[in-house]
Amino acid sequence: MSSWASSVVNGGISFWYADDGLPAVREPLSGDASADVVIVGGGYTGLWTAYYLKKAAPFLRITVLEQKFCGYGASGRNGGWLYNGIAGRDRYAKLHGHEAAVRLQKAMNDTVAEVIAVAEAEGVDADVHQGGVLEVATTPAQLARLKAFHEHELAFGEKDRELYGARETAERIRIADAVGSAWTPHGARLHPVKLVKGLAAAVEALGVTIHESTPVTEIRPKHAVTPYGTVRAPYVLRCTEGFTASLKGQRRTWLPMNSSMIATEPLSEEQWAGIGWTGRETLGDMAHAYMYAQRTADGRIALGGRGVPYRFGSRTDNDGRTQGATVEALREILTRFFPSLAGVRIAYAWSGVLGVPRDWCATVTLDRSTGLGWAGGYVGSGVATANLAARTLRDLVQRDSGQSGRTELTELPWVNHKVRRWEPEPLRWLGVQGMYATYRTADRRERLHPGAESSRLAKLADRVAGRH
């Protein structure tokens, strides 16, 4: 391992917690209890759902159960991309028609503004900067995919996005070998932990009960079972995303896909002058094994990618600790993009899991016969999607309980979508490992043998994965 690796703070949940501090621990459940709604999971989905339900119906007794502490999972470890992407939109277009998918996309566009507005209204300072999303191409094949992607997004109603050539891209950010980029205004950089802490505080201020250090082991109609007691409620909402596999009977529901990140030391003014990035856009690329990055409020680059994509048996990580080879791979991406940063120190490394359904489609569901609901399967786009899911769960519960009728949100095509389960082991481990090894090989081939045609290997991996 490289000598610099010894100075990296590895794990500790995430850089965001190292920066903002761990939260004060809330009390665990102290015995059997009852509520009108019990929410399992204290991440963005669970907290937003509690927030919107309590605002809509202040009389509701709402309890949130969290196995560690609010924001321990993906909500406290993600890349801080608040943007309008949603997993499964193209499949929903095939299943329900183009216009239904356009409505879903418009709802996601609006969600970016909704999160920013509520954070401001609740006094949550999450280092939000709405610079949009910039996605770059660094090879001819990536450029071809970028142009096709741009046209595809225009077809789904996003008329305010822009396509740039190499010179215009360099005026925004100087990335080595960048040959083009696409930009949408529907995105913002934020500090994930500041958002989740502020949201949890806002939810408690409304009168919602939050129990931490309370793992739910089983969900069944009207019951959320924990080692400390059972909470009974007419509605039990599962908001556990990448940790869903730990629940009884849910091991093959959503695959916990691993994503890893690094954060540099703060860069100097001279280093930033060489890079540009004054718009503070969230940054992605068009590689098959893509990267994502942001310029943090304190002047670092936080950059992520897949790393070790999946652990056998749907296991999750130990407080975000990341393999040295993954840190090295992410550093290589950083210096390939920004050669002038070859000597910069990597200060933090961490990992987390995101939920991946078998058909790669995010969903939100309420089973009216049982009162069981769930939302997730965001495939890495959860910072904004969780908010839309929460407002949709609110509307579904209110509709079922007779407090309201159908709404625009309850009619979106991702509502009550059914997904088949993942294959048993070792098939899913072999499949996911093989898929990402194939994507990385495809990216290497495209860099070494420039051409406008995407690697056939990547297309094969897409088919095997069920992504198209």
Side-chain angles (χ1 to χ4, degrees):
M1 189 181 297
S2 299
S3 59
W4 55 262
S6 61
S7 66
V8 176
V9 177
N10 193 336
I13 306 172
S14 71
F15 156 69
W16 310 115
Y17 278 111
D19 180 53
D20 201 60
L22 293 175
V25 179
R26 296 176 173 89
E27 292 297 317
L29 183 69
S30 59
D32 291 343
S34 64
D36 297 312
V37 180
V38 60
I39 295 168
V40 181
Y44 290 146
T45 306
L47 293 173
W48 278 123
T49 301
Y51 177 85
Y52 286 112
L53 270 172
K54 193 69 172 174
K55 292 283 275 190
F59 57 85
L60 286 176
R61 295 174 303 139
I62 301 172
T63 297
V64 176
L65 302 176
E66 164 55 42
Q67 69 164 336
K68 293 286 183 71
F69 55 80
C70 289
Y72 174 80
S75 300
R77 308 191 200 188
N78 62 79
W81 272 48
L82 177 72
Y83 86 119
N84 66 339
I86 183 166
R89 184 198 62 192
D90 290 359
R91 189 180 294 269
Y92 287 129
K94 292 176 184 176
L95 292 172
H96 300 278
H98 182 75
E99 286 308 310
V102 169
R103 286 190 288 110
L104 181 61
Q105 184 59 66
K106 183 181 184 302
M108 279 303 307
N109 296 350
D110 295 342
T111 295
V112 174
E114 169 73 9
V115 172
I116 294 171
V118 173
E120 185 174 346
E122 294 292 345
V124 178
D125 182 1
D127 295 342
V128 175
H129 182 88
Q130 192 167 1
V133 183
L134 188 71
E135 293 175 282
V136 301
T138 57
T139 68
Q142 285 189 25
L143 183 60
R145 288 197 296 274
L146 178 81
K147 290 177 177 177
F149 166 76
H150 177 72
E151 292 300 320
H152 198 56
E153 297 307 293
L154 290 175
F156 279 92
E158 202 183 323
K159 304 301 184 186
D160 45 2
R161 61 181 299 113
E162 298 172 4
L163 185 66
Y164 305 132
R167 182 178 57 80
E168 293 168 302
T169 301
E171 289 171 357
R172 281 181 172 261
I173 184 169
R174 286 180 279 287
I175 293 172
D177 302 322
V179 289
S181 62
W183 177 82
T184 173
H186 301 291
R189 171 213 75 190
L190 56 75
H191 189 300
V193 162
K194 289 181 179 180
L195 177 61
V196 78
K197 282 184 178 179
L199 184 54
V203 163
E204 276 193 316
L206 290 172
V208 171
T209 299
I210 301 175
H211 291 298
E212 296 180 330
S213 303
T214 306
V216 173
T217 55
E218 182 183 1
I219 293 173
R220 57 178 188 264
K222 299 181 172 55
H223 296 75
V225 182
T226 86
Y228 304 110
T230 297
V231 182
R232 292 169 173 81
Y235 298 100
V236 183
L237 307 180
R238 189 186 81 224
C239 304
T240 47
E241 190 58 353
F243 290 86
T244 300
S246 64
L247 291 163
K248 183 178 179 180
Q250 302 293 338
R251 186 167 292 275
R252 291 165 54 195
T253 300
W254 290 331
L255 184 135
M257 186 80 76
N258 199 53
S259 199
S260 301
M261 294 196 71
I262 57 173
T264 68
E265 61 187 344
L267 304 187
S268 67
E269 289 185 16
E270 292 77 16
Q271 286 170 318
W272 280 120
I275 293 170
W277 208 350
T278 55
R280 291 168 172 76
E281 306 91 340
T282 55
L283 176 67
D285 74 351
M286 297 305 293
H288 301 293
Y290 57 85
M291 58 75 71
Y292 52 95
Q294 67 149 284
R295 176 176 175 171
T296 68
D298 65 345
R300 305 170 191 265
I301 294 177
L303 181 148
R306 273 294 169 264
V308 177
Y310 172 70
R311 290 177 172 83
F312 190 89
S314 292
R315 288 175 293 138
T316 54
D317 61 82
N318 180 26
D319 288 349
R321 188 155 183 85
T322 301
Q323 289 189 350
T326 297
V327 181
E328 188 79 63
L330 293 174
R331 181 187 176 86
E332 189 275 329
I333 294 172
L334 175 74
T335 55
R336 176 155 41 88
F337 271 48
F338 307 111
S340 63
L341 300 184
V344 77
R345 185 173 72 87
I346 304 302
Y348 297 90
W350 70 99
S351 296
V353 291
L354 47 100
V356 180
R358 188 62 184 89
D359 64 357
W360 302 73
C361 289
T363 56
V364 57
T365 297
L366 180 67
D367 184 338
R368 303 185 73 174
S369 67
T370 63
L372 297 178
W374 57 89
Y378 305 134
V379 196
S381 300
V383 180
T385 313
N387 178 278
L388 178 61
R391 286 182 284 130
T392 306
L393 277 174
R394 171 202 61 194
D395 288 2
L396 289 170
V397 169
Q398 289 210 285
R399 176 186 168 197
D400 185 72
S401 59
Q403 295 171 43
S404 70
R406 296 184 176 190
T407 68
E408 288 183 7
L409 298 185
T410 64
E411 302 308 297
L412 291 174
W414 70 328
V415 173
N416 296 330
H417 174 71
K418 290 181 172 56
V419 184
R420 69 183 174 93
R421 289 155 67 82
W422 281 88
E423 293 79 0
E425 295 291 23
L427 294 177
R428 67 177 180 271
W429 185 87
L430 291 168
V432 176
Q433 299 293 338
M435 175 180 69
Y436 275 98
T438 303
Y439 284 143
R440 290 189 185 100
T441 300
D443 286 329
R444 280 196 300 272
R445 288 191 177 183
E446 290 179 3
R447 285 198 301 271
L448 293 171
H449 307 287
E453 183 72 20
S454 290
S455 170
R456 292 178 182 177
L457 284 174
K459 295 175 183 176
L460 174 64
D462 282 344
R463 284 198 295 273
V464 171
R467 298 176 81 165
H468 296 295

